[in-house]
Amino acid sequence: MDRLGLIGKPSDWLIASHYDASTLRERMHIELVEIPIEEVTSLGEVEGGEQGALVIYERLRAIVDQYQLNGLTLRCFDLLTTVKNTGCIALAKLNAEGIPAACEGDVPTLITMMMAKNITGCPGFQCNPARVNTETGQMLWAHCTIPYNMVESYTLDTHFESGIGVAIHGELPLGDYTLVKVSGDLSRIFAEDVQLTRNQYEPNLCRTQVWLQTKQVIPYLLSKPIANHHVLVRGHHAQSFLKYLG
Amino acid sequence: MLITLSSSLHKEQLQLPFELDDQFVQDNQVVAVLTGGSEALFLQQVEQGHITLDKPIYLIASEQSNSLAASCEILSWINLHHGHGQIRTHR
């Protein structure tokens, strides 16, 4: 049984990212462990740069050990007003260490990241759709953290929405990837093999920004998306994901 | 009917991504989702009766400020509640 920590409740804006704990237990042998956000916010205000971000990492690492977690999702925006820094570096490090770690208390995305680890042995990049080109099939996806072991290089920046703390602008290798998402009750899954064609770095977007060449993603996203966040995984594995839930 | 949503999460300068046809706005439920974090505001509009799930809902998304991301979360909610909608990113 995998133990996944839900540190704080899902963010208020995740209105379609619900989950069914009993289905997750029965079909994926996942136990969700609810952990109060105060276990992190009790740190109080930390230093506002990388040093403070590493304090958050150490606290999350201790929570992983204390609760014997195999993965976690963090209601990270609560840190902005309490700890006055971000969870971006902490999640990047945990993911690189083999602990799937998702932002915003998003359980379906964490489940998708666990699937990615089980199927490919690799971490996944939790990302938002940011732009679409319906004529070419090109799409821009972005987020403020990314597993350190998915990038060729990175620089540190502030977190997009808040302008504070530390976020990561990563540059990913070009080539084959899979874009995937499963719903929190496991009733739906979307997976498509895509190409990462370009990295970019613009303001007014989350800091890691990648362009994907897609086929079916855009019509799916503009009509029947499985919520907002999706997961990008290195390599072409769409068929393996689609078979995973039987 | 045009409803514009934006949240306090974003401080950027905001505007509609493209000009909307007056007749289209008159005939339909059109929601411009200008920023991320607008999702709960959409639910408020539904609860207050300003938006109904009985008719299609057109979500207008821009290329900035996590507008498309929020639109996807809202559209997913509409579909889960047996409504109909679509996201439009250009005229």
Side-chain angles (χ1 to χ4, degrees), chain A residues 12-17 77 128-132 134 160-161 203-206 221-228, chain B residues 9-10 12 37 39-40 42-43 62-66 68-69 72-77 79-80 85-87 89-90:
Chain A
D12 298 343
W13 49 84
L14 296 180
I15 61 175
S17 298
F77 275 67
N128 295 331
R131 293 178 190 165
V132 298
T134 54
F160 165 45
E161 286 93 340
N204 282 353
L205 287 169
C206 299
L221 212 64
L222 300 186
S223 61
K224 300 280 182 193
I226 304 175
N228 159 21
Chain B
L9 280 178
H10 291 264
E12 309 90 71
E39 295 89 335
F42 175 84
L43 293 191
S62 79
E63 295 192 336
Q64 303 290 341
S65 309
N66 287 336
L68 179 58
C72 287
E73 191 76 21
I74 291 170
L75 181 54
S76 189
W77 185 91
N79 289 332
L80 283 170
Q86 63 175 248
I87 297 170
T89 58
H90 57 277

Side-chain angles (χ1 to χ4, degrees), chain A residues 185-229:
Chain A
D185 61 1
L186 307 183
S187 66
R188 292 183 67 201
I189 184 167
F190 177 87
E192 182 176 306
D193 293 334
V194 300
Q195 295 287 320
L196 197 160
T197 58
R198 185 162 63 94
N199 295 278
Q200 75 162 38
Y201 197 3
E202 285 184 13
N204 282 353
L205 287 169
C206 299
R207 304 314 190 193
T208 293
Q209 304 163 15
V210 295
W211 281 94
L212 305 180
Q213 180 63 54
T214 66
K215 292 180 183 140
Q216 295 302 316
V217 179
I218 293 175
Y220 147 80
L221 212 64
L222 300 186
S223 61
K224 300 280 182 193
I226 304 175
N228 159 21
H229 295 129

